[in-house]
Amino acid sequence: MLLGQTIICGLLLGGMYALIAIGMTLIMGVMKIINLAHGALVMVGMYVTYVCSKNYGIDPYIGMFIAMPVLFLLGCLIQKYMINRLVEVDSILPENQVLLTVGIMLVLTEAARLMFKSDYRSVTTSYSSDTVFLGAMSISVPLLIGFFIAMVFTLLLHLFLTKTDIGKSIRATSQDRDAAVYMGINSSKITMITFGIGAALAAAGGSLLLPLFYLFPDVGHLFTAKSFIITILGGMGSTMGAAVGGLILGLSESLGATYINMGYKDVVGLVIFILVLLFLPGGFRSLVKR
Amino acid sequence: MKKFRWQIIAVLLVVALVGLLAGGCGGGSSSGGKDTVKVGIILPLTGSEAMFGEMEKNSFELAYEELKAAGKTTVGGKEIKLMYEDDQGKQDVAKSATEKLVNQDKVNMLSGGYSSACTNVIAGSAQTLNTPFLVVTGSSDDITKKGWQYVFRGSAAPASKYTISFWDMLEKVVKPQSVAIIYENTDFGTSGAKGFREECNKRGIKIAFDQAYEHGAIDFKPMLANMRSTNPDMIFATSYVMDASMIVKQMKELDFNTKLFVGNGAGYTMPEFYENAGAATDYVASTALWVPNVTWPGAADYFNKYKQKYGKEPDYHGAQAYATMYIIADALGRAKDMTNTGIQQALKQTDMMTIMGPIKFEDWDGYTNQDRPNTYVVQWQKGKLEVIWPEDVKSASYVYPAPKWSER
């Protein structure tokens, strides 16, 4: 029973981690940089949903569909007017574009603090603390809904990337940018759209967590750290890798919390992170390829 | 040349922004001069503890304005000036902030310190730099246990002493056979848990479960499910506010019943705890250092004034800062001269009444310059925080054992 409870909690939470991390891995794949502002984008998405809920009484799950377009637009603008501008300058090494994302993270965080203060905020819905019991195991309803929506989004994204024209262009750009440009793909437009989608997915993940968790301007660091581990775990740039990586991180954290000690929960994730780097540098993606 | 122009605009924008920010935060850090007495205050103004930093800064300002109106902010013809620094809740930043205040700004004394980890660092540096430091909140035991002559703690109790009246109540009412201890894995959490654990061992109470957790977790259920299987009579938890509400909410979700859930102050007494966890807070008890309806003079007054001015309810953290400002003004007013030893001696001779109760810096029980704390036990009853122990100051009777979730 204890094992069942642990596995269910871990998987459900892992599904949400996965959704957030997929946004990061997508950007990673196309841009070849780690977007350290990713957690801050999650935070902005959460605030949009929060404001919708607090001021206009919109349910977080519907507010999510407002937060996603807003963040898509924000992501596009960041890419077009900030990151792409750096890409154009030859003297700036691509690695240093990461520094720009740190700057963006700081600006977003402090802007949120300016508008909302540092207070902890949360959205309480009628179903926030609803649970269903499976035998003696309790499953939180918002966590369950969040997990399913996250999985649906992951599937949709997968279809989008494999079936549509833009999706194929995104994959082409991430495989070989120069070759993609020679084939007539407008790479700056593609990077812009990718960043937008990544940001929208971050917003979705944040909104799904809102009924369960809480919100403050610095909440993003938590998500940046988790997404980073998952991105490495799944193989940088791999969507399915990130989905599996998210589930594995959620599960191992949960198992670690139950059977080792909850104080070492984050250590479990980091140990896996180091082991993957040492013995499986390509992440889970390289397992599939072999 | 289009690009070149862009760069100029960008640079100008950045300069304007930096100027704005500096103007906004510094609040006149320019003047200086020799006719001021500078008090450096280090608080987490950004980062995940910023909410408390803000509350404490606001309370310092509130107290300062009152003192100013009473003419007590000028000592010996010099005006007391508060200089804030942000420690971001990080130890390395706290250390550099301390050194900056002492070496560059030449402050006469230091105050502040929110998290125990940062307070410890500030206290260590202050002692090495021979600068008096009056702690506001940092409550880890060892801060005043190192014999540091320049470190004073008045408004904050050592974490292991939060529980004095609580033990009194345990002995007379609860009499638990087995307890579970959970705490966040920081200085504050481990220190609070350690005090309670030792006391349990001394009294022969069985500790059925004892575990730390990582601050900021989303899912506490693995730990809670584990704890449920040991079936403790009582749970003792040391947490900050949002972890506290996550824990009680998830206990409700798990239908985990216990006769008494006791929080070790901090998160469990804050308005945000109820706002976030709602009905799950019912019958949760907590140790407390201060509540607005406590009988010390000025306490309710401070609460109302703060609420009116900042539109939010303060909790004991704000009260600590408010009381600290009064202690500082009192000590500086009595100091023979504004040297470090002069202020240190004035602090040492402090004997005054504040909204946190009487303050006196004494050496006792291994502590140095530590005030003897007054503690209470409070309990959430239908969204209101009631004092339930000691019985002579109670505002409501205790509810024990707490009813089961299904029977509420």
Side-chain angles (χ1 to χ4, degrees), chain B residues 95-378:
Chain B
K95 185 162 174 61
S96 55
T98 313
E99 283 165 1
K100 179 193 169 263
L101 282 169
V102 174
N103 294 330
Q104 278 182 32
D105 298 326
K106 312 263 182 244
V107 294
N108 300 74
M109 70 172 286
L110 290 163
S111 186
Y114 175 74
S115 74
S116 293
C118 287
T119 311
N120 231 325
V121 170
I122 301 168
S125 311
Q127 174 69 21
T128 344
L129 297 165
N130 296 331
T131 309
F133 172 46
L134 178 56
V135 177
V136 174
T137 300
S139 60
S140 158
D141 277 22
D142 54 351
I143 295 169
T144 43
K145 266 201 166 167
K146 293 176 182 158
W148 286 340
Q149 293 305 318
Y150 282 99
V151 179
F152 293 81
R153 183 158 61 185
S155 56
S160 66
K161 303 284 176 199
Y162 273 40
T163 47
I164 296 173
S165 18
F166 168 59
W167 275 110
D168 188 43
M169 180 181 165
L170 276 196
E171 244 167 33
K172 289 175 184 149
V173 182
V174 184
K175 306 186 182 80
Q177 298 299 311
S178 65
V179 296
I181 306 174
I182 52 176
Y183 54 100
E184 65 164 54
N185 57 355
T186 58
D187 274 9
F188 164 67
T190 37
S191 179
K194 191 175 153 223
F196 186 76
R197 193 182 299 128
E198 280 166 5
E199 207 56 45
C200 281
N201 288 335
K202 214 189 285 172
R203 289 163 204 246
I205 299 169
K206 190 181 143 221
I207 300 171
F209 186 82
D210 189 347
Q211 201 172 91
Y213 64 82
E214 182 84 26
H215 164 65
I218 301 173
D219 187 15
F220 289 89
K221 281 184 188 158
M223 180 178 78
L224 295 173
N226 244 339
M227 179 160 67
R228 180 167 59 179
S229 62
T230 63
N231 198 19
D233 280 351
M234 194 196 95
I235 298 167
F236 184 77
T238 310
S239 326
Y240 280 129
V241 63
M242 289 325 243
D243 291 331
S245 47
M246 296 300 278
I247 289 171
V248 297
K249 270 202 294 194
Q250 294 185 7
M251 277 179 67
K252 188 180 174 192
E253 286 174 19
L254 282 172
D255 191 27
F256 176 1
N257 294 296
T258 176
K259 282 188 211 151
L260 188 64
F261 183 100
V262 184
N264 190 16
Y268 293 96
T269 55
M270 300 187 55
E272 280 82 1
F273 176 55
Y274 177 70
E275 266 165 40
N276 194 258
T281 58
D282 252 358
Y283 311 114
V284 170
S286 174
T287 60
L289 290 181
W290 186 83
V291 271
N293 45 7
V294 71
T295 44
W296 306 121
D301 221 26
Y302 157 74
F303 181 80
N304 293 332
K305 267 192 208 158
Y306 187 100
K307 203 173 159 188
Q308 203 180 10
K309 183 155 185 212
Y310 300 104
K312 256 195 82 184
E313 292 182 7
D315 59 40
Y316 80 92
H317 297 102
Q320 287 178 325
Y322 182 87
T324 301
M325 185 65 236
Y326 272 87
I327 303 171
I328 291 174
D330 174 71
L332 291 179
R334 282 183 291 103
K336 276 196 224 91
D337 49 41
M338 288 304 147
T339 58
N340 51 357
T341 45
I343 296 172
Q344 196 252 0
Q345 266 167 25
L347 275 169
K348 189 85 192 166
Q349 289 153 5
T350 300
D351 184 3
M352 67 181 294
M353 194 60 168
T354 67
I355 62 164
M356 298 289 298
I359 298 283
K360 220 174 179 178
F361 298 103
E362 294 171 284
D363 303 342
W364 53 284
D365 222 4
Y367 297 102
T368 311
N369 300 337
Q370 171 70 54
D371 178 59
R372 285 174 199 270
N374 298 288
T375 63
Y376 314 90
V377 183
V378 292

Side-chain angles (χ1 to χ4, degrees), chain B residues 44-102:
Chain B
L45 299 173
T46 61
S48 62
E49 291 153 7
M51 186 185 124
F52 306 99
E54 253 170 47
M55 185 198 293
E56 298 195 343
K57 187 179 171 195
N58 288 345
S59 303
F60 264 112
E61 303 270 281
L62 186 65
Y64 187 83
E65 279 164 28
E66 286 173 21
L67 286 162
K68 189 167 188 163
K72 285 182 186 160
T73 51
T74 319
V75 286
K78 295 177 178 181
E79 184 162 33
I80 300 175
K81 203 175 103 185
L82 306 182
M83 304 181 76
Y84 298 97
E85 280 290 328
D86 180 12
D87 67 21
Q88 300 172 19
K90 293 175 191 156
Q91 286 168 294
D92 50 333
V93 185
K95 185 162 174 61
S96 55
T98 313
E99 283 165 1
K100 179 193 169 263
L101 282 169
V102 174

